[in-house]
Amino acid sequence: MNTPSPTDAVSVSVPRLVIAAPSSGSGKTTVATGLMALLASRGLAVSPHKVGPDYIDAGYHTLATGRPGRNLDAYLCGTELIGPLFAHGAAGCDLAVVEGVMGLYDGAAGQGELASTAQVAKLLRAPVVLVVDASSQSRSVAALVHGFASWDPEVRIGGVILNKVGSDRHEELLREALDESGVPVLGVLRRAAEIETPSRHLGLVPVAERRDDAVSVVRGLAERVRVGCDVEGLLRLARSAPSLEVGVWDAGDAVRAGADPVRPSAVPSNAGRAGFRGSAPDPAPQAPAGLDVRPVVAVAGGSAFTFSYAEHAELLRAAGADVVVFDPLRDEELPAGTAGLVIGGGFPEVYAAELGANEPLRKAVAELARSGAPVAAECAGLLYLARSLDGAPMCGVLDADARMSERLTLGYREAVAVGDSVLAAAGTRLRGHEFHRTVLEPGAGPAPAWGLVRPERRVEGFVQRGVHASYLHTHWAAAPGMARRFVERCVA
């Protein structure tokens, strides 16, 4: 995938650590969030990052550090943007902490190391701390750590943190075994049930839905790290990271460069529906210049719509918009002067009754969509624009109904824009991510938003008037032309 990449390299010397694990559920979020919060409490400016597409962990990182949690996803954005996006987020910071995804070497299915924590660690030249769930092992931990440390010689595992250790004797056995591995123990966390981060059908409950409790949890995690970890040893390891020669991503530069995603010469064989074609589209319009009035782009927020990458709002502003956040659970009107609407992901299914009860806002959204104004909706936004969600009335913009499902839809996708829309020209190709337990019937309109080409071939989503609605989560840093195109439609 070709993505826009900064060209002027600078030397980035910010100390940094990658917090990884052999598998999911080992304690990465506990350690990463706790370490971020502890160091921030000591007055350090900590830059928080998350490998992969997950929005929820990044929300806890924001709470822990007071800075935007930023994702580093080599599948969505391309390997060439990992360093520049990292440098953008870490600018002016004393230290960066990167929480990994799944197991250290797990990435996009069937594509080798792509999008794995190991790949990101190598791209950032960052030392790795391996968090190991030691609850059901003793001497075997040395074999496990040795295997991870030796699997890829380009990945530097600089220490291990033992999690869920049961007793002093258990800790002694683990330390004795690891003495032979050559990998230092930088922390031991005992089993603790008193600090719990509640989960639901798509993972942790987002910070915005439980802010007071979340603050308490993050403080508790910081205390666990303070008591159980060699914080000075972790800082020394972070400072051992060599300088990184990369360009620094900048939203204004990205919008001005105007790079769009790849436009393929061929698309799926089932492309006949709704002009699903691969012919080269017209050149993308230039970035807005000298706007008399900056258009207001309303962005849904609050407890029901918590999923958004920080770079999206930055790109919209760089493209000339005034970004105003509103809460569909509380606000009965769209922000004054709204010229465009962005509704990202979240958990509308949890708040279906409350969203349905806010009839004035539902009508305002429907009226805006009928006017032809640009509306971009991803996943939760798609459900909100539907006729109903689990029987509760939604905005009725789309002739479709949504319901919860027991089936989890999860994974990376490659997609092609079926036709022209407020986000992309026909034939535009990009990568995205699906993550939901809902079903929309029908799943695509007469003019679908995307034709998925990998791992399965199907059409999905809706394009009608100025509306682009889809289950697909995308990262606009890989396609800044989407933000520019959207803002231009706001002033057309």
Side-chain angles (χ1 to χ4, degrees):
M1 181 179 68
N2 296 330
T3 52
S5 180
T7 55
D8 297 330
V10 299
S11 181
V12 177
S13 57
V14 62
R16 54 198 179 274
L17 287 174
V18 172
I19 307 299
S23 65
S24 297
S26 299
K28 294 189 301 292
T29 301
T30 294
V31 172
T33 306
L35 181 62
M36 292 174 190
L38 177 63
L39 296 177
S41 73
R42 294 183 177 184
L44 295 177
V46 181
S47 180
H49 303 266
K50 170 68 180 178
V51 179
D54 182 86
Y55 300 92
I56 300 176
D57 289 345
Y60 283 87
H61 298 170
T62 297
L63 184 62
T65 65
R67 299 178 63 89
R70 296 180 183 272
N71 293 71
L72 300 172
D73 193 309
Y75 185 91
L76 295 183
C77 295
T79 56
E80 59 269 34
L81 276 186
I82 296 302
L85 286 170
F86 171 83
H88 170 64
C93 287
D94 301 307
L95 181 96
V97 178
V98 181
E99 180 185 342
V101 62
M102 300 183 293
L104 174 60
Y105 296 107
D106 299 327
Q111 301 198 50
E113 71 172 7
L114 179 62
S116 68
T117 303
Q119 184 185 50
V120 170
K122 291 193 290 185
L123 291 168
L124 298 181
R125 305 181 70 192
V128 174
V129 176
L130 195 68
V131 180
V132 177
D133 179 351
S135 59
S136 300
Q137 58 185 313
S138 57
R139 190 166 182 265
S140 295
V141 72
L144 184 149
V145 172
H146 172 75
F148 273 81
S150 61
W151 179 261
D152 185 341
E154 295 183 51
V155 176
R156 178 163 71 101
I157 295 182
V160 60
I161 292 176
L162 301 170
N163 192 25
K164 301 180 184 178
V165 175
S167 65
D168 290 345
R169 178 56 177 161
H170 189 199
E171 178 181 340
E172 182 181 347
L173 292 171
L174 293 166
R175 285 185 178 275
E176 285 178 356
L178 287 166
D179 282 344
E180 303 174 22
S181 74
V183 180
V185 176
L186 295 178
V188 176
L189 303 181
R190 297 298 175 90
R191 296 172 187 165
E194 66 272 15
I195 300 176
E196 295 184 353
T197 304
S199 301
R200 64 159 69 107
H201 54 279
L202 294 183
L204 301 180
V205 175
V207 165
E209 297 186 43
R210 54 185 300 268
R211 187 168 186 88
D212 291 342
D213 289 342
V215 168
S216 177
V217 166
V218 169
R219 287 174 179 164
L221 296 178
E223 179 64 11
R224 288 193 68 192
V225 169
R226 185 191 72 79
V227 171
C229 293
D230 177 3
V231 177
E232 293 307 314
L234 290 167
L235 287 172
R236 284 194 298 272
L237 181 61
R239 291 172 185 140
S240 74
S243 295
L244 188 65
E245 301 296 324
V246 293
V248 180
W249 185 86
D250 177 82
D253 290 344
V255 167
R256 284 188 291 273
D260 283 326
V262 175
R263 293 179 175 85
S265 58
V267 292
S269 59
N270 62 347
R273 183 175 180 182
F276 193 10
R277 54 192 169 84
S279 57
D282 294 334
Q286 297 300 307
L291 296 180
D292 293 333
V293 178
R294 293 175 64 89
V296 173
V297 173
V299 176
S303 297
F305 299 96
T306 56
F307 294 1
S308 179
Y309 296 126
E311 292 81 4
H312 287 200
E314 293 169 354
L315 285 163
L316 287 169
R317 293 188 185 100
D322 278 337
V323 176
V324 181
V325 178
F326 72 104
D327 186 349
L329 289 175
R330 300 177 181 273
D331 297 324
E332 295 188 344
E333 298 178 349
L334 290 168
T338 293
L341 174 61
V342 175
I343 316 173
F347 289 99
E349 61 269 29
V350 176
Y351 299 96
E354 293 93 330
L355 291 169
N358 191 350
E359 185 177 2
L361 184 65
R362 290 192 291 107
K363 288 183 175 179
V365 170
E367 182 177 346
L368 183 74
R370 282 194 297 270
S371 75
V375 178
E378 286 187 355
C379 201
L382 169 71
L383 305 182
Y384 186 53
L385 294 184
R387 191 165 40 225
S388 67
L389 172 56
D390 282 338
M394 293 292 110
C395 296
V397 173
L398 308 175
D399 290 329
D401 297 284
R403 57 178 173 80
M404 283 292 294
S405 168
E406 294 183 359
R407 178 175 178 268
L408 174 63
T409 300
L410 170 67
Y412 287 122
R413 307 286 187 256
E414 291 188 15
V416 179
V418 173
D420 289 340
S421 74
V422 296
L423 288 182
T428 298
R429 185 167 188 155
L430 84 168
R431 288 173 169 176
H433 185 262
E434 276 193 277
F435 188 33
H436 57 90
R437 283 190 186 272
T438 57
V439 174
L440 189 70
E441 296 174 341
W450 302 110
L452 303 185
V453 298
R454 183 170 178 171
E456 58 182 328
R457 303 167 79 87
R458 58 183 169 88
V459 291
E460 76 89 43
F462 298 75
V463 172
Q464 57 187 55
R465 298 189 182 91
V467 174
H468 185 286
S470 164
Y471 266 124
L472 202 66
H473 293 290
T474 58
H475 200 303
W476 291 2
M482 293 173 73
R484 185 196 58 218
R485 185 182 180 95
F486 186 87
V487 174
E488 286 176 338
R489 296 307 188 272
C490 290
V491 297

